[in-house]
Amino acid sequence: MNQEALVEEAKKAREFSYSPYSHFRVGAALLCADGSVYTGCNIENAAFSPTNCAERTAVFKAVSEGKKEFVKIAVVGDDKTYLSPCGVCRQVLMEFVDPMEFEVIMAGDSDSIKVVKLAELLPESFSPMNLKNHVKKDIF
Ligand code: THU
């Protein structure tokens, strides 16, 4: 799926945003290596901290259905200018992807789109590789 189509999927997912507190709707669309796409929206909560961002909703949906190989994600905020993913979502993505390869397509309601590799958004990161000599489970 190309960049524009993935952004469109993220925009569709944004329609489902549950954001009664911020009124800031966010949508995301995650492309898996097998070609499948998982979408997500932000889901807010009256207690505030349980709020889940759109990107994490998409990742958690995918992982919970057995997908762990991802190619790129599109994220669309509620603004003309593009939305840059929060730090928590950057870290969650880092768990599953090669940051030098994985693309983050940041979009908004104008044509302003910015495409970067995850490594640019989270340099000097802490990742599963840092634990490779310490974990018993074979995740590498
Ligand atoms: N939000 C996202 O869904 N993704 C981001 O990367 C940034 C922030 C959501 C969380 C909250 O529901 C609203 O935007 C305002 O912060």
Side-chain angles (χ1 to χ4, degrees), residues 88-138:
V88 174
C89 290
R90 295 175 195 200
Q91 185 68 37
V92 167
L93 287 164
M94 185 63 72
E95 184 70 20
F96 299 104
V97 305
D98 176 349
M100 302 295 279
E101 294 296 326
F102 184 80
E103 275 183 353
V104 181
I105 303 156
M106 305 184 287
D109 279 319
S110 67
D111 290 336
S112 84
I113 283 189
K114 185 168 182 179
V115 185
V116 293
K117 301 283 190 191
L118 183 61
E120 295 172 69
L121 294 179
L122 200 58
E124 300 286 352
S125 61
F126 187 80
S127 78
M129 290 308 286
N130 294 98
L131 298 177
K132 67 178 186 300
N133 297 323
H134 296 264
V135 290
K136 292 200 176 80
K137 204 165 158 246
D138 184 22

Side-chain angles (χ1 to χ4, degrees), residues 18-19 22 24 26 41-44 51-55 75 83-86 89:
Y18 177 74
S19 44
S22 73
F24 188 79
V26 185
C41 64
N42 56 331
I43 304 167
E44 298 186 344
T51 292
N52 207 54
C53 289
E55 300 91 314
V75 54
L83 177 132
S84 183
C86 85
C89 290

